[in-house]
Amino acid sequence: MTFSHKRSDFPEGFKFGTATSAYQIEGHSFGGAGRTHWDDFAETPGNVVRTENGAVACDHYHRTDEDLDLVKGLGVDAYRFSTSWARVIPDGTGAANPEGLDFYDRLVDGMLERGLEPHATLYHWELPSPLADRGGWRNSDMPKWFASYTEVIMGRLGDRVASVAPINEPWCVGWLSHFMGIHAPGLRDIRATARAMHHVLLSHGRAIDVMRGLGMKNLGAVCNFEYPQPIDSKLESVAAAERYDGYYNRFFIEALFKKQYPEVVLEGLAPHLPLGWETDFDQIARPLDWVGLNYYTRKNIGATDAAWPSLEELEGPLPKTAMDWEIYPDGLHHFLTRLAREYTGDTPLFVTENGLASYDVAMNGAVQDPSRLNYLESHLDAVKRAISEGAPVKGYFIWSLLDNYEWALGYDKRFGLVHVDFETLKRTPKDSYKTLALALNR
Ligand code: IFM
């Protein structure tokens, strides 16, 4: 397989990396981790394919060295990982789990020993169940609890991590989980959504304060973006796509950089936001050192007569990944240039997630996954184009190192550069891994 990019095509110092998250790979039944709302959600029939959960996942907890060797072998500079709140503080508040802290210590030291930069995320969705019992992200005490968790975990790792983002993909934590009901806690409730979205942002700001207080540098935010394509040129379709853009793409970044929520979103959410939300933006919009974009696809949007946001996602014409997501690299170029132009200015941008799920099969010790390489190649083209137009893009992380637990879709959707056999847990580097390793060394 060929791959046209090489490291030397990118600006000096451009970082290549790969990414994972705690619950998706670690094995949450090990090492004294507490129960999470994903365990509860998965145990409820109908929520997750085959009611699969992250109890074992890739068993990364016990195979840390093997997995870090794989990161190293790929030839990347950096590894983006997350720490699990429920592993660090099993009840969400109160006593820390020494085994959990030791595990993350070993993980970070393992990266440093291999010359890999550790890029941490504090929350990639495994909320401790006792906090879910208290309303989870709906509860206005969440920022306080999240700040305490930040203090504990970064009190331990903060001297050795290269960067930290508090919360991965706030849209998923807020909208996907509380409005669409697709992720834990599986609510479909507009009031819960508005509160969760606001409390996520406040928690982000409180965590940044805690880490600045610890003397830490290189703190950022990671948001996800999807290109909203109106299904046709009718005014109502264009307006529907703008509403989608508002709550998906603008809500969080606008709060972080402009201290406001978009009008098109307030039309629906304002009555449900917590009292006094208008005065919270100073706490939310703490200065950031970088911004991360997770980008995968576009959505084709049409208007409906249903209640706000009065829109629907429709099937589009482009080739699709195994997630049924259209492949649309121009969207990545759009967001990198748009963010720099409208929100973040000179603040360094990183593509913190990009990749695809494909139907990969391991045969005779090899896995052919040409679609992955094509996808990465076309998206790296988009990154290069954005850089040539002046966007300050400083790095690119591939999702994901390993096939892993794809949330409500269980273990079927394979995003890894490395194949995992979920019966034996054997790792097999895919052809994309091998080709990239060559390209990154050129
Ligand atoms: O697997 C997820 C990850 O947890 C967050 N970003 C998108 C990925 C693919 O769906």
Side-chain angles (χ1 to χ4, degrees):
M1 274 198 286
T2 56
F3 191 65
S4 65
H5 301 290
K6 50 188 183 311
R7 185 183 276 278
S8 52
D9 297 340
F10 290 83
E12 183 77 32
F14 189 87
K15 304 276 180 218
F16 284 93
T18 185
T20 61
S21 90
Y23 191 82
Q24 291 179 277
I25 66 164
E26 285 175 2
H28 227 265
S29 52
F30 313 125
R35 192 174 170 89
T36 80
H37 70 169
W38 266 98
D39 301 306
D40 307 326
F41 183 72
E43 208 168 295
T44 312
N47 283 342
V48 175
V49 171
R50 291 184 296 270
T51 64
E52 286 169 345
N53 62 26
V56 175
C58 305
D59 191 25
H60 171 70
Y61 185 80
H62 296 110
R63 295 163 197 252
T64 316
D65 282 322
E66 180 183 355
D67 292 342
L68 290 180
D69 286 345
L70 284 165
V71 180
K72 183 67 185 164
L74 181 59
V76 291
D77 314 290
Y79 179 51
R80 177 171 175 255
F81 70 107
S82 74
T83 53
S84 158
W85 189 341
R87 184 180 295 290
V88 172
I89 305 178
D91 289 333
T93 56
N97 167 28
E99 275 179 88
L101 289 167
D102 289 350
F103 168 68
Y104 291 121
D105 236 1
R106 284 199 304 280
L107 183 64
V108 166
D109 286 345
M111 290 178 225
L112 295 174
E113 280 155 19
R114 290 167 177 81
L116 297 165
E117 290 182 3
H119 292 261
T121 303
L122 301 181
Y123 183 76
H124 198 126
W125 309 350
E126 53 286 289
L127 187 71
S129 294
L131 298 186
D133 294 342
R134 292 153 87 176
W137 289 103
R138 282 175 288 169
N139 192 318
S140 58
D141 282 336
M142 275 298 277
K144 181 180 78 189
W145 297 331
F146 191 65
S148 303
Y149 158 58
T150 305
E151 184 98 43
V152 172
I153 184 65
M154 282 302 131
R156 186 71 174 259
L157 307 181
D159 57 338
R160 278 159 297 147
V161 286
S163 82
V164 186
I167 293 170
N168 184 63
E169 299 185 354
W171 179 84
C172 293
V173 181
W175 193 274
L176 188 68
S177 308
H178 295 84
F179 194 81
M180 299 174 78
I182 292 175
H183 277 193
L187 296 179
R188 298 193 65 243
D189 181 323
I190 195 165
R191 181 176 165 92
T193 306
R195 276 146 205 272
M197 286 166 78
H198 189 68
H199 294 149
V200 160
L201 281 162
L202 274 174
S203 303
H204 157 92
R206 289 286 299 272
I208 295 287
D209 284 352
V210 168
M211 293 189 281
R212 298 275 183 223
L214 292 171
M216 293 174 61
K217 300 194 167 62
N218 215 15
L219 308 178
V222 171
C223 299
N224 51 327
F225 298 89
E226 273 188 3
Y227 188 86
Q229 178 67 51
I231 198 73
D232 53 37
S233 54
K234 286 188 199 141
L235 280 183
E236 67 250 36
S237 310
V238 173
E242 276 168 11
R243 289 194 292 281
Y244 189 88
D245 191 49
Y247 65 71
Y248 202 116
N249 300 314
R250 290 175 54 198
F251 188 84
F252 301 98
I253 200 75
E254 203 145 316
L256 294 171
F257 281 85
K258 295 191 178 171
K259 301 190 175 182
Q260 63 187 29
Y261 290 144
E263 271 309 317
V264 281
V265 183
L266 288 176
E267 279 165 17
L269 289 194
H272 308 290
L273 282 162
L275 217 59
W277 61 270
E278 301 91 336
T279 59
D280 284 339
F281 287 107
D282 284 340
Q283 176 61 67
I284 288 170
R286 296 304 206 210
L288 295 177
D289 304 310
W290 57 274
V291 168
L293 295 85
N294 293 357
Y295 176 81
Y296 292 91
T297 189
R298 75 172 188 180
K299 287 286 159 60
N300 295 278
I301 306 295
T304 66
D305 293 334
W308 187 92
S310 322
L311 60 81
E312 59 184 344
E313 295 174 20
L314 295 152
E315 169 103 25
L318 300 180
K320 298 186 182 63
T321 71
M323 294 289 279
D324 241 354
W325 291 346
E326 283 191 304
I327 300 174
Y328 188 62
D330 284 352
L332 179 55
H333 169 267
H334 166 85
F335 286 114
L336 289 169
T337 49
R338 174 177 171 196
L339 245 61
R341 194 174 57 241
E342 295 180 18
Y343 296 99
T344 53
D346 294 336
T347 307
L349 299 176
F350 289 82
V351 178
T352 31
E353 284 183 27
N354 182 233
L356 94 164
S358 49
Y359 301 100
D360 302 327
V361 184
M363 270 185 7
N364 306 322
V367 180
Q368 294 183 346
D369 59 338
S371 59
R372 176 161 291 100
L373 270 187
N374 290 338
Y375 182 99
L376 298 176
E377 183 155 87
S378 60
H379 286 78
L380 276 167
D381 278 338
V383 171
K384 266 191 196 161
R385 210 150 36 91
I387 294 174
S388 72
E389 292 167 23
V393 192
K394 305 296 179 194
Y396 176 85
F397 289 73
I398 298 165
W399 185 269
S400 180
L401 173 68
L402 303 171
D403 291 340
N404 60 46
Y405 180 63
E406 181 53 27
W407 307 110
L409 299 173
Y411 290 94
D412 279 349
K413 305 295 175 189
R414 295 183 174 274
F415 274 92
L417 295 165
V418 175
H419 180 274
V420 177
D421 177 328
F422 290 107
E423 297 291 312
T424 62
L425 297 169
K426 181 176 164 40
R427 277 82 165 131
T428 306
K430 300 181 187 175
D431 284 359
S432 58
Y433 173 101
K434 296 176 188 164
T435 309
L436 276 166
L438 290 174
L440 290 171
N441 285 315
R442 272 192 284 157

